[in-house]
Amino acid sequence: MEDRTRVNFHCHSVYSDGDLTPEALADNLYAAGVRYAALTDHDSVEGLPRFQEALKRRGIGYIPGVELTTQCDDCEAHILGYGFDASSPELKATLVSLRQARGTETQSIAESLRRAGTRHVAGHNDQPGPNAAPDGQLDIREAAALIHRAGGRAFLAHPLTLEPDLAALDALLAGLKLQGLDGIEAFYEPYADEQRSQLSALALRHGLLVCAGTDVHAGGRAEKPVYGIDMPVPAWKQFRDAIFSAPTFVETSAGAQGSTALPSSHEHSARLPGVFRRRYFVLRIFLPTLLAIALFVAAIWGLIIPSFERTLLDRKRELIRELTNSAWSILVSYERDERAGRLTRQEAQDMAKARIEALRYGREGKDYFWLQDMHPRIVMHPYRPDLNGQDVSSFTDPRGVRIFVEFADLVRRKQAGYIEYVWQWLDDPQRMVPKESYVKGFEPWGWVIGTGIYIDDVKDEIARVEQSLVVASLVISGGVILLLLFVVQQSLRIERERREVEESLRESTERYRSLAEATTEGALLVLDNRCRYATA
């Protein structure tokens, strides 16, 4: 389904033939989910300042608009103008002439307001100035030129009303395009979907823009008024860009009669009633939560993982010490048989070597023990049989350490202990890696027995644990963030509802005061048993 934006660029207020004030109209547009709107009163821009301010309070994008009554080949046609400078003297003088030519009668408060607006503008038109319709008649082509001179864009309103035959309308649009027409109201609420598609195709064929509106007059009519219409996003963007390109369409201060730039979707959300300020959330909700998550992560990487690394290394070192003691006890048992006369020394040593050579442990069953004497000579090495019986006093690791001499010296000094060096990886002589071994002397035979751990093994195990901790941290942090978003959403909803109620009460009071001001007799406005406004 094509993305669409809720808009209304064709609606009327009490300043022409509508039933609602600009503020009440803005209320209904907001309730209908409209995001961008234009007030297009017939031949009047008097309601634009109030409409602009009302939309601003409700977070709805605003552009200035007007619906001009024009003549097209002896038929009445309506031109929608957008994005113009509402303070243009020529435009204002022309609008006065058009309104005076219609001869509006006073029938209600709304009509009184329209008449007052006409008189007010006429007072500003006493001095001679440009006027595109001095006789109260405005040709459709001159209407487009007038809108252009005021810096705006001209669109043909409800095209099928002017010419219901598509073929004739096609020819008419070709001529109007040459005369300066910028677009047509293809997305007109009373039209069926097929008619909207046909009008969109005509606009595309002639290189015209399209706009959308409901032509709502509101209030007390028999049919239910429609305040919003969905406009395809590509068409809306083309319309928006065309309005933005007008030289007079610049952002002005609140309440000014000039054009005001449409807000982006982000600005629109930020202006909605009841939405917290972003800084408030950052400081009061998000920041403490993010700090808590940061402390959690810092605790894992700064305390838990380093502590785990030390603990794991200590456990590994304790493991090889216990394993060495167990293998050492095998030597003790065979030496005991020697002393008891059950075995000769050579037999006892050969049997002890064979048994220890067969010992394996570890995850892959490849970790081993080795034996040497104090000279040092290798007594037994399961993965380096080429060294068995060899003098290794000059044997060094890649760093130049005489490791077997170091083993013997450590045993002479302490009888047992740990030492670091570089040695081949298990049974792979091509791979040299750091290793830490525990060695222990066996004094009766002058031997040294030892086994070790590969530092890379420890690092791999630590990495696996760290990965598990990272995954757990992400899951926990994600859960906390989801919980935070839920809390924020609920807080936003509650605050939005509260502010909407406050805004509704305030605007209701303003609306009643406006009605009181429009009456010719004294009025007293009482709310909650209190006098809120009075006129004499």
Side-chain angles (χ1 to χ4, degrees):
M1 181 178 294
E2 186 177 24
D3 290 339
R4 294 177 176 268
T5 299
R6 195 81 167 163
V7 301
N8 197 345
F9 300 129
H10 192 170
C11 47
H12 302 276
S13 73
V14 294
Y15 284 94
S16 62
D17 56 347
D19 297 332
L20 297 180
T21 63
E23 293 78 11
L25 178 59
D27 280 338
N28 289 323
L29 292 172
Y30 176 76
V34 171
R35 298 182 62 190
Y36 308 98
L39 177 64
T40 54
D41 280 324
H42 290 287
D43 306 321
S44 173
V45 294
E46 299 305 302
L48 295 187
R50 290 174 60 181
F51 188 68
Q52 177 184 2
E53 184 62 28
L55 291 187
K56 180 180 178 180
R57 291 197 302 268
R58 293 158 182 81
I60 300 175
Y62 160 83
I63 60 174
V66 69
E67 185 171 4
L68 298 177
T69 305
T70 72
Q71 300 299 315
C72 179
D73 299 333
D74 299 326
C75 296
E76 183 175 292
H78 291 180
I79 290 293
L80 294 167
Y82 300 114
F84 50 82
D85 179 5
S87 64
S88 166
E90 181 185 16
L91 176 63
K92 296 174 73 173
T94 302
L95 295 179
V96 170
S97 295
L98 295 176
R99 291 201 300 272
Q100 289 175 337
R102 291 205 311 271
T104 309
E105 297 181 357
T106 303
Q107 296 178 345
S108 64
I109 291 176
E111 296 292 343
S112 299
L113 291 173
R114 290 198 293 274
R115 169 74 55 123
T118 300
R119 289 198 300 268
H120 174 71
V121 177
H124 286 280
N125 197 43
D126 292 339
Q127 297 180 354
N131 186 338
D135 58 352
Q137 298 293 318
L138 184 63
D139 182 76
I140 189 171
R141 297 163 180 81
E142 180 55 32
L146 172 66
I147 293 297
H148 290 166
R149 288 195 293 272
R153 306 293 181 185
F155 288 70
L156 178 61
H158 33 71
L160 295 178
T161 303
L162 176 61
E163 179 51 72
D165 182 73
L166 285 176
L169 180 60
D170 188 8
L172 177 62
L173 291 179
L176 293 178
K177 171 66 183 301
L178 296 176
Q179 298 297 324
L181 187 70
D182 296 299
I184 62 174
E185 188 179 25
F187 297 94
Y188 184 56
E189 194 278 330
Y191 291 165
D193 289 341
E194 182 180 0
Q195 293 174 308
R196 298 177 190 178
S197 298
Q198 292 170 340
L199 291 174
S200 297
L202 281 180
L204 181 62
R205 182 183 308 154
H206 293 288
L208 295 170
L209 300 168
V210 296
C211 64
T214 68
D215 200 7
V216 62
H217 293 75
R221 301 178 184 272
E223 68 277 6
K224 183 178 180 181
V226 179
Y227 292 96
I229 184 171
D230 291 330
M231 185 177 184
V233 170
W236 148 244
K237 289 182 176 179
Q238 290 179 351
F239 173 82
R240 178 198 62 191
D241 294 343
I243 300 301
F244 276 155
S245 66
T248 57
F249 199 82
V250 294
E251 191 165 350
T252 61
S253 59
Q257 293 188 16
S259 303
T260 303
L262 292 174
S264 65
S265 59
H266 174 74
E267 295 168 335
H268 173 78
S269 300
R271 295 177 185 175
L272 286 175
V275 178
F276 291 156
R277 292 186 181 276
R278 183 181 304 172
R279 183 176 299 176
Y280 174 85
F281 271 100
V282 170
L283 295 178
R284 300 293 298 274
I285 297 180
F286 281 107
L287 185 58
T289 304
L290 293 178
L291 285 176
I293 294 176
L295 290 175
F296 172 69
V297 173
I300 289 178
W301 292 96
L303 297 176
I304 297 177
I305 289 181
S307 176
F308 171 78
E309 290 177 353
R310 291 191 297 270
T311 301
L312 180 61
L313 184 58
D314 289 343
R315 289 180 58 187
K316 292 289 187 180
R317 297 177 73 187
E318 180 69 17
L319 173 64
I320 60 174
R321 184 176 69 85
E322 293 300 326
L323 289 172
T324 301
N325 287 334
S326 297
W328 185 85
S329 65
I330 295 175
L331 300 180
V332 172
S333 66
Y334 282 105
E335 192 272 336
R336 186 183 303 115
D337 289 341
E338 176 198 347
R339 283 190 287 107
R342 289 187 289 272
L343 296 171
T344 65
R345 169 166 290 197
Q346 188 62 45
E347 291 173 338
Q349 290 180 342
D350 290 342
M351 295 177 67
K353 286 191 296 182
R355 185 171 176 182
I356 292 176
E357 184 178 9
L359 293 178
R360 295 290 187 275
Y361 65 94
R363 186 173 55 190
E364 298 179 358
K366 291 185 177 183
D367 292 287
Y368 60 92
F369 299 86
W370 81 91
L371 294 167
Q372 71 173 69
D373 60 23
M374 300 295 291
H375 177 70
R377 293 183 181 85
I378 295 298
V379 176
M380 181 278 301
H381 196 293
Y383 292 144
R384 292 296 303 273
D386 57 303
L387 296 179
N388 290 345
Q390 299 295 320
D391 184 343
V392 289
S393 56
S394 60
F395 189 95
T396 60
D397 69 2
R399 296 181 301 181
V401 177
R402 296 192 299 168
I403 55 177
F404 295 107
V405 172
E406 294 289 332
F407 295 153
D409 290 344
L410 178 61
V411 169
R412 289 189 186 96
R413 295 193 312 271
K414 299 181 179 180
Q415 183 59 31
Y418 297 94
I419 191 166
E420 293 183 6
Y421 58 101
V422 175
W423 188 255
Q424 72 178 44
W425 174 264
L426 300 176
D427 55 351
D428 183 2
Q430 304 302 319
R431 181 182 175 187
M432 306 298 290
V433 294
K435 188 175 183 179
E436 182 174 1
S437 290
Y438 181 82
V439 294
K440 184 174 182 179
F442 184 66
E443 188 174 356
W445 292 347
W447 285 3
V448 176
I449 185 171
T451 189
I453 55 173
Y454 292 97
I455 305 301
D456 286 354
D457 269 351
V458 179
K459 290 181 178 179
D460 290 343
E461 189 168 347
I462 291 174
R464 288 193 296 270
V465 174
E466 288 178 352
Q467 184 178 6
S468 299
L469 288 175
V470 168
V471 173
S473 301
L474 291 176
V475 171
I476 294 173
S477 300
V480 172
I481 291 175
L482 290 177
L483 181 61
L484 171 65
L485 292 176
F486 175 77
V487 171
V488 169
Q489 182 184 31
Q490 295 302 310
S491 301
L492 283 171
R493 182 182 60 80
I494 295 172
E495 181 67 10
R496 184 183 296 111
E497 291 175 354
R498 182 184 68 80
R499 293 194 180 185
E500 286 177 354
V501 171
E502 292 179 353
E503 182 75 8
S504 178
L505 290 174
R506 186 186 66 79
E507 292 177 359
S508 296
T509 302
E510 292 293 329
R511 190 177 301 115
Y512 290 136
R513 185 176 70 177
S514 298
L515 291 175
E517 289 175 341
T519 62
T520 57
E521 299 179 356
L524 184 67
L525 178 60
V526 178
L527 293 174
D528 299 329
N529 296 322
R530 293 176 58 191
C531 178
R532 298 302 180 98
Y533 190 77
T535 61

